[in-house]
Amino acid sequence: MDRLTLTQFVALAVVLAALVRWLPGDDPSKDPLGRGAPWLAIELDSYLEGLRATEPDAPQAYLRGLRRLDTDAFFRYWSRTLRDVRKIQAEAGPETFVQFKGMSRNEQWQLRYDLYPIPTTGAFYEDGGSEDDPTLPGATVMVSRLIASQDMDPEDRKKVMQASLERGNRK
Amino acid sequence: MALVASLALALLLGHLLDRALFGDPAHGLIDRVGRALMLGLGTLGLVSMLVDALGLGVTRGSVFGGCGVVLLLCALAAWRQAAGQPAAAASRSGAHEAAPLDARQRAMYVGLLLFALLGTALAVRSGWVRPTFQFDSTTRWMFKTKALHFDRTLLGPISTDPEFGLTHQRYPPLVSHVSNVPLLFEGRFDDRLASSIYVWFGVALVAVVYGALRRRTGRLCAAFGAMWIAQLPLFSYVFAPPPGAGAASAMADVPLALFITGAALAAADGVEGRRPRAHLEAGVLLGFVLLTKNEGMAFLIALCLGVLLAAPRARWRRVFGIGALGLLLFTLAWGWIASGLPVTDEHYPAQLNLAALERGLGRLQIIVPRFLRELTDFSAWNVTWPAVGALLLVAGRRCWRLPVCRLLLVALVVQMVSYLLAYVVTAWSSPAAEVISETSAAGDPVSVLMSVSLGRLFMQVAPLAIVLALCASPVETRPSG
């Protein structure tokens, strides 16, 4: 076989591999060829457009929970939290600041982005912060109910993290 | 409308810059739009960064005023060039006569282009529909965009107060400045609007690769290259993992891939003497690379080494010219500011020393298998990496004999080795990693870091690898119209 034929063979493999993803399939994660993955993306975007029609923050809330083990619980949690954020932003004055209680570091960081430029404070859960932290004078308090009730038992948390890593490794 | 206005401004800026500085080497609409978008988006970000560095405040007046000055200078230079060299322009446009495709080739060409368009359209739709939600995107790139919108600068507390260390204050913020442009038009903060401009770096990437391959290898190969990139699952439709690798994810990896590919292709044009001022373009694009992500610093070495080994003559002068221009742009717009900002645990140049290398060598037993798994991961890459390897094997000695391939190969290998070294020496940790380390058999946070970042790093160089494989392949080598 000459070089040109071999090159054409490899090119054909590239085209076929790209095409096969567009074949209908039920669950790309269980299919070694990942059939149906582009259709899932199209479906997801259509779903998000529908969600936005009902509530502007709903797509954001849905996506933040999408890769978690308990997608529905995270969706509900973030919907409620982002509603709270909008309310705080609407009522904010020059003195307003938000105190997080019992929230993990990563959740606080995401909410800092959501709330910016409103100042925030609060000890991370990982550093011993809890719902029982004393409230600072004038603070608007935000508490992470979801994390407190579900993820924060140390053993459960390890399980969740381990499962997440294994899922990442498996792809 | 704000997004359309931002893209129109980028296209105008990029096209005039291309004509004024680089002699408009594009052939055909796709090539021209790709180059204009690449240069325009980078220049928009650069102008905004320079405005901020001068302490003028990133406002509608200052940024659009700065763009106006650039537009005026470019228009004047382009007009003078057109008036002074009509014959050159005419000969350039007719330089590559069309090599007509037969009916079968034409059908393949159209099919490949449509398939490329499908992948790109999918990414564009996702970029418009999906809000920013990825953790790294919201806490870094979009956080800075939001700060730019509200504070009119990135030189305030967001960059200096350790409380905002989460934003990775030393990270070069070119893409954050670009995504602030639609907000300048709109006049209010809208995260979906700001993030929707990111995917256009991906559109430019597909078009730039098409254009460069069309000029080098012909239309059919160009359409194939465009399709290959546009249909990369991680680029256009695979959601995760790793988070944030796609063109629509409002992360800086696809923008970096665009500038890396553009700089390497321009440097290759210069090394081969295909067109005048290609080195100047490579230097400007290298500046954009450095202003987009920290990984750009590794690419500075990778590209310079590539040029050094590929250039037939005046090697050091070319390397110095490209590298110095890139570094100059970086220093003026960000470098001198960043040197005074807090350092995070992801500041790799500071961690790269012999002691750290020695300490981290044991990690290779985690890193190398993970690299190999990523390279053969069908769900993320289809058959891309094995196909690139196969094409390079088939090409054999052409990979090293052709200067363009030598340059791209050296740049690609050096860049990937830098990723490997970064994992070896990293001091990265996070609460999640600590939990994993307690339970994982490997017991090393690097396995967590790789699970969320390796695909993104490979996305930065995948287009370069594809272009290398196609340039080395014994396919059409005749330029066609």
Side-chain angles (χ1 to χ4, degrees):
Chain A
M1 228 187 287
D2 64 9
R3 284 172 190 239
L4 187 61
T5 310
L6 282 169
T7 302
Q8 287 171 338
F9 179 75
V10 175
L12 185 66
V14 170
V15 174
L16 286 177
L19 280 171
V20 81
R21 307 299 294 267
W22 286 84
L23 293 175
D26 293 334
D27 184 355
S29 64
K30 289 179 185 158
D31 176 0
L33 294 177
R35 287 173 307 142
W39 301 110
L40 275 188
I42 293 171
E43 217 172 89
L44 173 67
D45 289 339
S46 301
Y47 180 63
L48 293 175
E49 279 182 317
L51 278 183
R52 179 169 288 108
T54 59
E55 193 180 323
D57 281 328
Q60 175 77 266
Y62 181 78
L63 288 170
R64 284 189 187 186
L66 192 58
R67 293 189 63 224
R68 309 305 292 252
L69 292 182
D70 191 347
T71 301
D72 287 342
F74 270 82
F75 180 26
R76 283 195 302 275
Y77 171 70
W78 277 112
S79 292
R80 202 168 53 239
T81 305
L82 290 173
R83 240 190 333 263
D84 290 347
V85 166
R86 299 289 165 239
K87 195 169 163 226
I88 292 168
Q89 284 173 330
E91 295 168 357
E95 303 298 319
T96 303
F97 73 99
V98 173
Q99 182 183 359
F100 301 123
K101 287 191 181 181
M103 267 190 203
S104 69
R105 185 198 74 167
N106 285 4
E107 194 181 355
Q108 285 202 27
W109 283 5
Q110 276 190 303
L111 280 168
R112 272 189 167 193
Y113 163 75
D114 295 322
L115 285 160
Y116 195 84
I118 297 171
T120 59
T121 186
F124 299 144
Y125 172 83
E126 293 87 346
D127 296 340
S130 76
E131 287 185 37
D132 302 327
D133 288 346
T135 303
L136 298 170
T140 304
V141 174
M142 289 187 83
V143 179
S144 178
R145 298 273 173 214
L146 180 77
I147 302 295
S149 64
Q150 284 193 275
D151 272 2
M152 283 307 185
D153 173 73
E155 285 310 309
D156 285 351
R157 186 175 162 78
K158 281 180 188 173
K159 281 181 202 159
V160 169
M161 295 291 179
Q162 189 62 41
S164 169
L165 178 70
E166 279 167 8
R167 198 170 33 178
N169 286 340
R170 257 202 326 271
K171 295 196 176 177
Chain B
M1 273 315 289
L3 179 65
V4 174
S6 306
L7 291 173
L9 179 61
L11 281 169
L12 183 65
L13 207 54
H15 180 60
L16 283 178
L17 202 70
D18 202 7
R19 292 197 66 168
L21 283 185
F22 311 128
D24 188 19
H27 288 281
L29 183 68
I30 301 175
D31 192 6
R32 191 154 281 127
V33 167
R35 286 182 58 82
L37 258 183
M38 173 175 71
L39 293 167
L41 288 170
T43 308
L44 267 180
L46 180 65
V47 167
S48 180
M49 287 184 80
L50 287 172
V51 162
D52 197 19
L54 290 171
L56 298 176
V58 182
T59 62
R60 218 181 269 185
S62 62
V63 173
F64 294 157
C67 289
V69 171
V70 176
L71 279 174
L72 196 66
L73 290 174
C74 288
L76 274 174
W79 176 74
R80 281 189 61 180
Q81 271 186 358
Q85 300 170 310
S91 72
R92 188 188 62 234
S93 64
H96 299 306
E97 291 302 326
L101 302 174
D102 61 30
R104 188 179 56 88
Q105 287 175 323
R106 186 176 294 277
M108 281 168 64
Y109 170 71
V110 172
L112 287 168
L113 265 194
L114 286 176
F115 203 27
L117 188 67
L118 182 65
T120 315
L122 195 56
V124 168
R125 183 184 178 221
S126 297
W128 177 244
V129 168
R130 295 178 194 172
T132 323
F133 72 98
Q134 306 273 8
F135 182 76
D136 281 12
S137 172
T138 50
T139 57
R140 275 131 220 188
W141 314 111
M142 289 301 290
F143 206 135
K144 288 180 181 173
T145 303
K146 202 169 186 183
L148 266 175
H149 176 77
F150 285 106
D151 305 343
R152 306 291 182 204
T153 180
L154 280 185
L155 308 184
I158 189 83
S159 289
T160 54
D161 188 342
E163 276 288 296
F164 288 105
L166 70 141
T167 64
H168 287 210
Q169 291 154 316
R170 272 202 187 197
Y171 269 27
L174 183 111
V175 289
S176 301
H177 279 268
V178 175
S179 67
N180 184 46
V181 174
L183 302 178
L184 290 175
F185 277 108
E186 184 76 1
R188 67 181 177 86
F189 184 77
D190 178 341
D191 72 333
R192 190 164 62 117
L193 177 63
S195 66
S196 61
I197 201 164
Y198 277 79
V199 74
W200 291 92
F201 287 95
V203 175
L205 174 62
V206 173
V208 161
V209 167
Y210 171 87
L213 287 174
R214 179 180 167 174
R215 276 177 272 135
R216 283 181 173 279
T217 59
R219 276 196 291 176
L220 203 53
C221 188
F224 178 72
M227 181 285 296
W228 195 346
I229 291 170
Q231 287 292 338
L232 283 177
L234 268 190
F235 177 88
S236 60
Y237 55 83
V238 162
F239 193 65
S249 62
M251 297 276 285
D253 300 289
V254 170
L256 185 66
L258 165 68
F259 295 134
I260 280 180
T261 311
L265 283 166
D269 278 357
V271 161
E272 290 184 328
R274 278 177 173 260
R275 57 189 171 96
R277 299 191 189 171
H279 290 113
L280 180 68
E281 184 185 325
V284 170
L285 289 170
L286 181 61
F288 294 163
V289 168
L290 295 170
L291 291 169
T292 300
K293 281 202 91 177
N294 275 349
E295 290 90 323
M297 213 42 98
F299 188 71
L300 169 76
I301 299 167
L303 185 66
C304 288
L305 206 57
V307 173
L308 198 63
L309 291 175
R313 59 184 183 282
R315 297 171 179 202
W316 287 104
R317 204 177 66 203
R318 290 167 202 254
V319 168
F320 180 77
I322 294 172
L325 181 56
L327 277 173
L328 179 70
L329 290 178
F330 172 74
T331 307
L332 288 176
W334 185 245
W336 67 276
I337 297 167
S339 61
L341 302 182
V343 179
T344 68
D345 59 359
E346 293 189 49
H347 186 58
Y348 293 106
Q351 295 167 26
L352 191 60
N353 55 61
L354 274 179
L357 274 175
E358 204 180 324
R359 254 197 325 273
L361 275 182
R363 284 176 164 175
L364 285 174
Q365 59 182 318
I366 303 171
I367 297 168
V368 173
R370 188 66 207 234
F371 262 61
L372 293 176
R373 206 157 59 223
E374 185 68 35
L375 290 170
T376 51
D377 181 6
F378 187 85
S379 67
W381 300 104
N382 290 344
V383 292
T384 293
W385 296 102
V388 166
L391 287 176
L392 293 181
L393 273 179
V394 171
R397 274 182 289 183
R398 273 170 65 93
C399 295
W400 195 255
R401 210 177 58 237
L402 297 176
V404 56
C405 297
R406 201 183 315 154
L407 190 156
L408 297 178
L409 184 66
V410 171
L412 177 69
V413 169
V414 172
Q415 190 70 8
M416 290 187 89
V417 167
S418 78
Y419 297 155
L420 192 134
L421 286 178
Y423 285 127
V424 168
V425 302
T426 185
W428 179 86
S429 67
S430 85
E434 283 156 21
V435 174
I436 297 293
S437 301
E438 287 170 25
T439 55
S440 153
D444 193 323
V446 80
S447 60
V448 184
L449 179 62
M450 292 184 82
S451 72
V452 296
S453 63
L454 188 57
R456 271 155 48 186
L457 295 183
F458 277 25
M459 177 55 72
Q460 296 168 5
V461 290
L464 191 67
I466 289 170
V467 170
L468 163 65
L470 293 179
C471 284
S473 296
V475 287
E476 295 175 79
T477 50
R478 206 175 48 241
S480 57

